[in-house]
Amino acid sequence: MKTLETIKTPLLELIKTTGNFIRDEKGKIKEQQIDDKAHNSFVTYVDKKAESMLVEGLQKLIPGSGFIAEEGTAGENESDWRWIIDPLDGTTNYIHDIYPVAVSVALQHKEQTVAGVVYEVGHDELFYAFEGEQAMLNGKPIHTSTHKKMADSLYATGFPYYDYKRLPNYMKVLDYMMQNTRGIRRHGSAATDLVYVACGRFDAFFEYSLSPWDVAAGAFIVQKAGGIVTDFKGGNNYLFGEEIIATNSFLAKATQSLVDEKMN
């Protein structure tokens, strides 16, 4: 796809520049500069500035393209091209001066994802994938893990922080995983969790109550790294369905069966 070839290098540069700004501002935010969007959902001037930097740069790369953006800097339009962006995934981590924190950008053409980039700021790790190419980390190919049994696998998740309706069932999943896996990790950045599945650090990730900007780029990178991404039912409604499972190619069926049984 010619457009992807043209924008690839400037896109990666733009995302790293945005990440550098986020890194430079870390530790400078004062409590009175933190706004509550909703219960336990925060936004800072850094989120807003990072999003405006991305939107301005992405509009130059593909003039007239639409956006789905967490902070609402730019809206959707009728273009075949659409960006799905989270300028700062892990804001709660960020305001507490901890990592991971990530910039997440996905590109869709006619509602099909064709590119995904996640820049984890703390470790200066740039994960990306483009249609027709292998998933990469800082210029080197990555692949999902090869663990075939849950007992040998490390899982990642995100704790519910505002939608507690499914919490009792979610705890059932954790109860099983605590006893039947190598462990569970919760980093506070879904975009980072997904790319860690892509490069084999985690064997699987699941979470509910997520938005498209949380998962669009990371899910695509997982798929291009040989992994499988579904919703809790095993379907494809993970982008807008507010639930996602991402695994290596061996653990998909067992993980999806477990999560579906406990959560539904």
Side-chain angles (χ1 to χ4, degrees):
M1 188 176 290
K2 188 175 181 180
T3 299
L4 294 183
E5 296 174 3
T6 302
I7 69 169
K8 181 177 180 180
T9 297
L11 173 61
L12 298 179
E13 290 175 351
L14 171 64
I15 292 170
K16 286 208 69 171
T17 297
T18 305
N20 290 339
F21 161 73
I22 291 170
R23 185 187 300 109
D24 290 344
E25 294 299 307
K26 190 169 181 285
K28 299 179 182 179
I29 298 173
K30 297 178 175 60
E31 194 69 27
Q32 59 267 30
Q33 295 176 307
I34 302 168
D35 297 325
D36 295 336
K37 294 188 294 183
H39 177 63
N40 286 337
S41 181
F42 306 106
V43 63
T44 72
Y45 72 89
V46 179
D47 298 73
K48 295 175 183 178
K49 175 61 177 177
E51 182 163 297
S52 67
M53 291 172 64
L54 288 174
V55 169
E56 181 180 353
L58 297 173
Q59 284 178 330
K60 291 178 181 178
L61 291 181
I62 305 181
S65 51
F67 288 85
I68 299 177
E70 180 173 14
E71 308 309 334
T73 302
E76 294 189 70
N77 60 25
E78 299 301 318
S79 173
D80 287 341
W81 296 95
R82 179 171 69 181
W83 301 96
I84 304 178
I85 64 175
D86 190 340
L88 201 167
D89 185 52
T91 300
T92 301
N93 283 355
Y94 190 72
I95 63 180
H96 286 274
D97 201 20
I98 60 175
Y99 288 120
V101 168
V103 181
S104 177
V105 176
L107 175 62
Q108 292 191 321
H109 183 250
K110 297 182 178 179
E111 300 187 352
Q112 296 297 313
T113 306
V114 295
V117 184
V118 173
Y119 180 46
E120 201 291 295
V121 175
H123 289 92
D124 188 26
E125 291 188 323
L126 187 66
F127 299 82
Y128 56 92
F130 292 83
E131 187 59 50
E133 299 181 13
Q134 169 72 32
M136 310 287 281
L137 165 55
N138 289 347
K140 297 181 180 180
I142 56 174
H143 201 279
T144 52
S145 70
T146 57
H147 289 138
K148 297 180 180 180
K149 298 179 181 179
M150 293 184 71
D152 299 326
S153 301
L154 184 64
Y155 277 70
T157 189
F159 299 157
Y161 61 93
Y162 71 95
D163 180 3
Y164 304 114
K165 295 188 298 293
R166 305 174 76 181
L167 183 56
N169 290 343
Y170 172 81
M171 297 304 295
K172 294 178 183 178
V173 180
L174 295 187
D175 181 277
Y176 183 91
M177 287 186 173
M178 288 177 190
Q179 300 182 61
N180 293 279
T181 71
R182 283 187 176 173
I184 309 168
R185 299 292 181 267
R186 195 270 192 181
H187 277 165
S189 167
T192 303
D193 289 334
L194 284 163
V195 294
Y196 280 10
V197 173
C199 70
R201 295 172 186 170
F202 292 142
D203 300 288
F205 165 74
F206 77 100
E207 190 172 346
Y208 74 89
S209 292
L210 292 173
S211 299
W213 47 78
D214 296 314
V215 302
F220 184 74
I221 295 169
V222 169
Q223 291 168 329
K224 290 302 177 182
I228 296 175
V229 184
T230 69
D231 56 33
F232 287 179
K233 289 288 187 182
N236 294 319
N237 191 27
Y238 56 84
L239 195 57
F240 295 97
E242 300 185 344
E243 57 183 43
I244 189 170
I245 299 172
T247 73
N248 67 23
S249 60
F250 302 105
L251 294 168
K253 184 177 290 186
T255 304
Q256 186 270 316
S257 178
L258 168 68
V259 173
D260 183 30
E261 175 191 348
K262 303 294 185 183
M263 292 294 297
N264 298 301

